[in-house]
Amino acid sequence: MLSKALLRLGAGAARHPWRVIAAWLIAATLAVLAAVAFGGRTADSMTAPGLDSGRAAELIERAGSGQEGMTAQVVVTPLDDGATFLDDDGARTALTRLRAEVKRLPHVLGASDPAGALDAGGDTAVRGGLVSVDGRIAVVRVQYPDQSRLSAEDLDALVELGDRLRAELPLRIEMGGSLFYAFSDPDGGASELIGLLAAAAILFLAFGSLVAAALPIGMAVFGLTVGVATMTVLAGVTEVPTFAPVLGSMVGLGVGIDYALFVLARHREYLARGLDPHEAAGRAVATAGRPVVFAGGTVVVSILGMAVANVPFMTVGGLAVSIVVLTMVLASVTLLPAFLGAAGPRLARAGRIGRIGRALRAGRSGRLGRRRDPVAGAAPAAGWRRWIGHVSRHPVPYAVGAAGLLLTATLPVLGLRVGLPDDGSLPHSRTERRAYDLVAEGFGPGTNGPLVIAADPAGDPGVVDRLVATVTADPGIASVAPARIDRATGVATLVVFPTTSPQDKATADTLSRLRTEVLPAAIGHGPARAHVGGAAASLSDVGQRTSERLPVFVAAVLAMSFLLLMLVFRSILVPLKAVLLNLLSIGAAYGVMVAVFQWGWGGALIGLEATVPIVSFIPMFLFAILFGLSMDYEVFLLSRVREEYVRTGDNGMAIVEGVAGTARIITSAALIMVAVFLSFAVTEDPSTKMFGLGLATAILIDATVVRMVLVPATMTLLGRANWWLPGWLDRLLPRGPVSTDAEPTGEAPRPRLVDR
């Protein structure tokens, strides 16, 4: 039985704390050394098999047109406001030198020559998209090989060159392109520190003890070090997306501190009952450790379930985040009890500083002697008991009101639009954003997201001319660069510039129209074929695929969660209610994201400078993570309710005592998670902002409206039916390691409500 195994594991770690701590130190050291020796850099390759953009990439690669690799663009304008590249010889000379320096960089296959195009004729330069009509803005497009032959060192070399030339040339130099997107380091280091500090403050106020507050932080730091280092080693074997370390740190800190909080709270409760610290640690791991193992496993399985989308970078990103979560679960049942054993009986008393912390929680020191809170290891606070009792006496209005509130918050989801924020959504402090603005100003917004049409004429000589004519005539296309035809294969490539920006909905409509109407009309019924590729098309295709697979993924996660909860609580209605309430909280989080990022409501509060679509892969990632995290609170709370019901047989008393007994722990844990996630919501990257705000909103709603209102209200309405299980199903279900029928104390459980 899992509880017995956890009891032995926790008690053994508490009796031999320094051995366990030394083992974790060795593991962390080895993981870091392996990351340094064998680790790789994260990189983004947002493609998926079977997509039209993928077929276009295959044709482009076969033709060897140079469009199949990574690109960067160096955007320049004279520092002198009155100068232009058309009439200023000094600016043109500087532009020529800049291009020559860029061409000498490692792995650069070629660089466009705006100065040479100007010498050949101004009209040609403008048509080629190299110099703006007014001559103020020029673009040097840099071509690299495919991503597998590049590394972050190539980006570093380009950035260092730009920094040097800014001091030497009379030019304003900005840079952007897919090279930056693939190899830019994700932000998040400062956010991790802010999250840790906020978590430490909340833990101190919750426990009233510096020692007790430090233990979850120490465990989380250990776990995060091992998990992220292992993720870095994985990046040396396969391509790990750049968002994985940030998301792994975010989720790892949140769940690690949460899991430690659950175990530590139970440990102090057992200490308050007079148990020996070693036995208390074992009992704490055996009881609170069960929900931790179950919840952590649910998070991992949910995240790994994203493989159904058949998008490789999402699958690998999910695997990387799962490694961090698994490390936190392992640390919670081994390293944390070792810390508890090393701390000994000191955790049973708060000390002078602890009394100050409890005074802050209580509001005035005179209340301290009257009632101790459950986090400190005593009976549930009377305030929570009164609140849960009040909700239980008025279940209908509270259930209807809370559900109505969450459904209202979910309504914006009807306007959800997936896409990918481009460089125009970055803050002006980033060179990519400034380059984006210069290109849009000089050449039009669509120049920042060109489409690449690859066509195989298959012996039809008129296909290319028809393609150019029909594509140019489309109202969503601003211009078409001259076609490039590979003599060996006959494959033609056309670079097409839409009239709208990459993240604009009109660009997605143009892409769809090209594929369904324009290209078929140009090709006809012959053997020729044409596909639309490029970064903008690839990202759009990935977004469409994840949207199509999301319902299947959601259904699979819901079914899995229902079955697991049914095994845990031996009930039909409890898991059904849990699934529905979790859907409500996640839906409300989605609604808040749409309101903030698409509608701009309160965006300035998190540093959002422009409205953006929801990143295509984030809804699926958020659902996987949030559904797993919500299981933390679900299992922790319902385990206590179930224990009370088994002990007393009184459903009403079990609800009040179980929910009130976990209320302060759950709200403290939720505050920690919200603080950690919100610290990431203020980073520069819009995708990180979405992860941070979405996770923080869902956890806040789940721990307050759902756990403290909807759960007691609905469980009161259901009454003894909460624990109903048909007899035939009870006999079929295995009684495995997830049983919650009794604490590992030898106390016999009371009979369950089962139809025979």
Side-chain angles (χ1 to χ4, degrees), residues 104 137 166 172 189 225 229-230 244 255 294 348 357 401 411 428 453 459 486 510 539 553 629 667 714 733 737 750:
R104 286 197 290 267
I137 300 171
R166 286 188 185 99
R172 174 186 168 192
T225 301
T230 306
V255 302
F294 173 78
L411 287 178
H428 286 91
I453 297 177
D486 179 62
T510 298
L539 294 171
F553 170 72
L629 293 182
T667 52
T714 53
L733 292 178
R750 298 195 179 200

Side-chain angles (χ1 to χ4, degrees), residues 201-273:
I202 296 169
L203 284 167
F204 170 68
L205 292 176
F207 287 110
S209 166
L210 287 177
V211 175
L215 296 187
I217 299 293
M219 190 212 79
V221 169
F222 262 99
L224 198 60
T225 301
V226 174
V228 173
T230 306
M231 186 188 301
T232 305
V233 175
L234 179 65
V237 178
T238 186
E239 195 171 84
V240 175
T242 55
F243 66 80
V246 176
L247 185 58
S249 298
M250 192 188 312
V251 175
L253 282 177
V255 302
I257 296 174
D258 254 24
Y259 295 163
L261 179 61
F262 294 160
V263 175
L264 181 56
R266 271 300 180 99
H267 176 72
R268 298 190 82 190
E269 182 178 332
Y270 287 127
L271 288 179
R273 295 181 186 178

Side-chain angles (χ1 to χ4, degrees), residues 13 177 329 361 435:
V329 172
R361 295 198 311 274

Side-chain angles (χ1 to χ4, degrees), residues 322-334:
S322 297
I323 290 173
V324 179
V325 176
L326 280 176
T327 304
M328 290 300 181
V329 172
L330 183 61
S332 299
V333 297
T334 57

Side-chain angles (χ1 to χ4, degrees), residues 15-378:
R15 288 191 180 92
H16 308 285
W18 301 115
R19 296 181 188 177
V20 177
I21 294 172
W24 272 91
L25 277 172
I26 294 172
T29 302
L30 292 177
V32 171
L33 291 176
V36 173
F38 309 109
R41 295 285 295 269
T42 58
D44 287 317
S45 178
M46 295 193 176
T47 59
L51 300 176
D52 188 68
S53 55
R55 289 188 281 269
E58 292 171 1
L59 280 178
I60 293 170
E61 185 175 2
R62 198 176 90 192
S65 64
Q67 295 290 342
E68 70 275 13
M70 303 293 295
T71 60
Q73 57 184 13
V74 182
V75 189
V76 295
T77 186
L79 291 176
D80 184 352
D81 290 339
T84 72
F85 293 110
L86 298 175
D87 54 24
D88 190 312
D89 292 338
R92 192 178 299 191
T93 300
L95 181 59
T96 301
R97 180 189 164 189
L98 181 144
R99 174 184 178 267
E101 296 261 16
V102 168
K103 282 194 67 176
R104 286 197 290 267
L105 289 175
H107 298 131
V108 170
L109 301 178
S112 61
D113 186 5
L118 281 171
D119 293 336
D123 291 342
T124 302
V126 171
R127 283 199 303 272
L130 302 178
V131 181
S132 62
V133 174
D134 61 5
R136 284 283 303 163
I137 300 171
V139 178
V140 177
R141 293 194 172 91
V142 189
Q143 187 65 49
Y144 287 89
D146 63 82
Q147 187 169 334
S148 63
R149 296 163 59 187
L150 301 175
S151 68
E153 283 72 23
D154 294 285
L155 175 60
D156 295 339
L158 180 62
V159 171
E160 290 170 5
L161 175 63
D163 292 339
R164 177 169 62 83
L165 293 181
R166 286 188 185 99
E168 300 176 3
L169 300 178
L171 300 174
R172 174 186 168 192
I173 303 173
E174 306 297 349
M175 299 178 177
S178 59
L179 188 72
F180 282 80
Y181 184 80
F183 294 112
S184 291
D185 285 328
D187 48 358
S191 298
E192 295 170 13
L193 179 59
I194 294 171
L196 281 173
L197 292 176
I202 296 169
L203 284 167
F204 170 68
L205 292 176
F207 287 110
S209 166
L210 287 177
V211 175
L215 296 187
I217 299 293
M219 190 212 79
V221 169
F222 262 99
L224 198 60
T225 301
V226 174
V228 173
T230 306
M231 186 188 301
T232 305
V233 175
L234 179 65
V237 178
T238 186
E239 195 171 84
V240 175
T242 55
F243 66 80
V246 176
L247 185 58
S249 298
M250 192 188 312
V251 175
L253 282 177
V255 302
I257 296 174
D258 254 24
Y259 295 163
L261 179 61
F262 294 160
V263 175
L264 181 56
R266 271 300 180 99
H267 176 72
R268 298 190 82 190
E269 182 178 332
Y270 287 127
L271 288 179
R273 295 181 186 178
L275 270 67
D276 175 85
H278 300 159
E279 184 180 358
R283 292 283 184 91
V285 172
T287 51
R290 284 178 300 178
V292 165
V293 171
F294 173 78
T298 304
V299 173
V300 170
V301 173
S302 297
I303 294 176
L304 293 180
M306 290 188 302
V308 301
N310 194 24
V311 179
F313 79 87
M314 290 179 59
T315 302
V316 177
L319 175 62
V321 175
S322 297
I323 290 173
V324 179
V325 176
L326 280 176
T327 304
M328 290 300 181
V329 172
L330 183 61
S332 299
V333 297
T334 57
L335 180 60
L336 182 61
F339 283 163
L340 299 179
R346 285 177 293 176
L347 292 175
R349 56 185 184 274
R352 183 177 179 183
I353 297 178
R355 288 194 294 273
I356 296 174
R358 283 199 275 166
L360 291 173
R361 295 198 311 274
R364 58 189 180 89
S365 59
R367 294 173 53 189
L368 294 177
R370 302 180 186 178
R371 185 178 296 107
R372 295 172 61 194
D373 60 64
V375 175

